[in-house]
Amino acid sequence: MNIAKNNTLRLYVLWYGIAFLVLILDLITKYWASDALVLYQRINVLPMFDITLRHNYGAAFSFLAGENGWQTWFFSIIAGAVSIGLIVWIAKIGRTKSLEVLGLSLILGGALGNLYDRVTLGYVVDFILVYYNESKQFPAFNIADSAITVGAGVLLLDALLTSKKKTSNEDAQASH
């Protein structure tokens, strides 16, 4: 195997490995929360931060949680399709755009973690609760949600940096 193929393989192992690490960390922490806590039990960790057990039958912010169950399969199909798309996307650009692929890997790991919950449990296990006071709580979330959010932030940062670089290159070309 030549050096270029070996380096490409290492990058794919890295990118898919990050997604796999997010997935495993997510599943372990959700298992712990489900095993150690009773539904809606809260354990204060820090001011404005509790560990709690919640079951989210909907999507982000419990969107469609009150429906009769069709939403579980709907969100599962979407998460499955997005995951396949991310796997292909990472494979196509894995060697050239490291920051973008890092963001995609984090999103992939998070999507797979929540997809696993939906398919096996019918809901997503959430256990992290951040709040200002009792009346101002952010919806409970999990490691998968955190990875998706951080991954989206990394994609935005990459888009900003790429845009700046493109503008700088265009300015440099225009001045010649």
Side-chain angles (χ1 to χ4, degrees), residues 68-91:
N68 62 6
W70 65 267
Q71 76 279 13
T72 298
W73 296 108
F74 175 73
F75 293 131
S76 295
I77 290 167
I78 289 174
V82 167
S83 296
I84 291 167
L86 289 170
I87 289 167
V88 171
W89 192 354
I90 290 167

Side-chain angles (χ1 to χ4, degrees), residues 10-41:
R10 283 188 191 139
L11 283 174
Y12 290 139
V13 168
L14 172 66
W15 300 131
Y16 295 122
I18 288 170
F20 183 72
L21 183 63
V22 167
L23 172 63
I24 295 303
L25 184 59
D26 180 61
L27 294 178
I28 288 170
T29 55
K30 288 174 179 175
Y31 175 81
W32 169 82
S34 296
D35 189 55
L37 301 169
V38 175
L39 195 59
Y40 302 111
Q41 175 186 1

Side-chain angles (χ1 to χ4, degrees), residues 14-15 18-19 22 90 93-94 97-108 147 150-152 154-155:
L14 172 66
W15 300 131
I18 288 170
V22 167
I90 290 167
I93 63 169
K97 299 179 180 177
S98 297
L99 199 55
E100 182 178 350
V101 180
L102 173 60
L104 295 173
S105 296
L106 292 169
I107 293 169
L108 175 60
V150 171
V154 170
L155 288 177

